[in-house]
């Protein structure tokens, strides 16, 4: 695939392993004429911001469910876990209606905000935080630490492996998310890589020479 990218247009199926006349024309056309650098930048912004804030909110919620006491805590957590059984496509229509009502269409907010509540991340982090010895938290509170200090100096450092895992999973999900980004954007300047690649395939044609194209059966 890499060597074929350096071949002259129309010679991708030539029976040779190394291209005879290597060219960067294909790369220039993709990155300059079709704006894939912009798509790549949009994907980085959306995936990084979504991963960062979704992980932050999940850690805060997991800390509350794991270390704090409040009314109906177990029932609320059970309802949140039960929501994971609802297929994700069921949320597309109401989310789209809310985004359109707020006037967020064709903005980064529409691509990022609706997916910041990550119930799976909450469950993953809570299960891990439940294994942290309560004696560490009690000792910190005896020394005068407040909840923010306990969260930032004890719980998060001990939970870094699972926090990093959640960030990477969230980043990967938003990087490859195609349907939602296609629904909320119709401006080429806001396309992410999956959407831009799909539009690129539809808007361009193959330059395969006719001698290598399959011929119809007689």
């Amino acid at each position: 695939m890499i060597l074929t990218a350096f071949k002259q247009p129309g010679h991708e199926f030539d029976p040779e392993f190394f291209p005879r006349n290597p060219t960067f024309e294909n790369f220039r056309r993709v990155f300059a004429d079709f704006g894939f650098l912009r798509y790549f930048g949009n994907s980085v912004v959306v995936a990084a911001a979504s991963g960062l804030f979704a992980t932050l909110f999940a850690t805060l919620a997991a800390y509350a469910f794991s270390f704090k006491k409040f009314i109906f805590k177990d029932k609320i957590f059970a309802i949140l876990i039960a929501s994971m059984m609802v297929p994700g496509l069921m949320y597309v229509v109401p989310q789209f209606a809310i985004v359109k009502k707020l006037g967020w269409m064709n903005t980064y907010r529409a691509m990022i905000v609706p997916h910041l509540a990550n119930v799976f991340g909450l469950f993953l982090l809570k299960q891990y935080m439940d294994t942290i010895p309560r004696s560490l938290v009690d000792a910190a509170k005896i020394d005068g630490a407040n909840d923010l200090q306990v969260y930032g100096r004890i719980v998060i450092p001990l939970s870094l492996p699972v926090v990093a895992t959640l960030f990477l999973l969230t980043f990967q999900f938003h990087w490859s998310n195609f349907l939602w980004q296609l629904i909320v954007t119709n401006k080429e300047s806001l396309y992410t890589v999956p959407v831009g690649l799909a539009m690129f395939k539809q808007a361009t044609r193959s330059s395969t020479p006719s001698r290598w194209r399959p011929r119809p059966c007689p």
Side-chain angles (χ1 to χ4, degrees), residues 31 34-43 108 188-193:
F31 290 112
F34 297 101
F36 266 86
L37 285 178
R38 177 67 177 178
Y39 305 156
F40 183 82
N42 291 335
S43 289
Y108 283 120
E188 185 178 357
S189 60
L190 290 176
Y191 285 168
T192 55
V193 170

Side-chain angles (χ1 to χ4, degrees), residues 2-174:
I2 295 174
L3 293 175
T4 301
F6 289 96
K7 291 182 179 181
Q8 295 287 343
H11 294 271
E12 58 269 23
F13 287 117
D14 285 357
E16 56 185 15
F17 190 74
F18 292 99
R20 296 180 182 177
N21 300 309
T23 179
F24 285 94
E25 177 64 17
N26 301 317
F27 294 91
R28 188 199 64 78
R29 293 184 62 193
V30 167
F31 290 112
D33 298 346
F34 297 101
F36 266 86
L37 285 178
R38 177 67 177 178
Y39 305 156
F40 183 82
N42 291 335
S43 289
V44 171
V45 171
V46 172
S50 300
L52 178 63
F53 287 106
T55 303
L56 174 63
F57 296 149
T59 56
L60 291 170
Y63 176 82
F65 277 105
S66 185
F67 294 98
K68 305 298 291 184
K69 294 181 180 180
F70 53 91
I71 188 172
F72 300 133
K73 182 176 77 170
D74 294 336
K75 293 182 176 61
I76 294 174
F77 186 73
I79 292 174
L80 291 174
I81 295 301
S83 68
M84 295 176 63
M85 294 185 292
V86 180
L89 291 176
M90 297 292 292
Y91 298 110
V92 172
V93 174
Q95 285 178 338
F96 173 78
I98 294 173
V99 167
K100 187 175 179 62
K101 190 73 174 179
L102 292 174
W104 287 0
M105 297 295 293
N106 295 316
T107 63
Y108 283 120
R109 288 174 294 177
M111 295 188 284
I112 296 173
V113 174
H115 297 98
L116 295 185
N118 190 340
V119 179
F120 169 76
L122 166 64
F123 171 75
L124 181 67
L125 287 167
K126 180 186 180 301
Q127 296 303 107
Y128 188 89
M129 290 182 182
D130 286 343
T131 64
I132 297 177
R134 293 303 186 268
S135 58
L136 294 175
V137 177
D138 295 338
K141 290 185 176 180
I142 291 175
D143 290 337
N146 55 33
D147 284 323
L148 186 59
Q149 291 172 326
V150 172
Y151 166 82
R153 297 186 179 183
I154 297 177
V155 176
I156 293 302
L158 293 175
S159 305
L160 277 181
V162 69
V163 170
T165 300
L166 177 61
F167 173 79
L168 292 175
L169 290 174
T170 308
F171 184 95
Q172 182 184 22
F173 169 77
H174 286 280

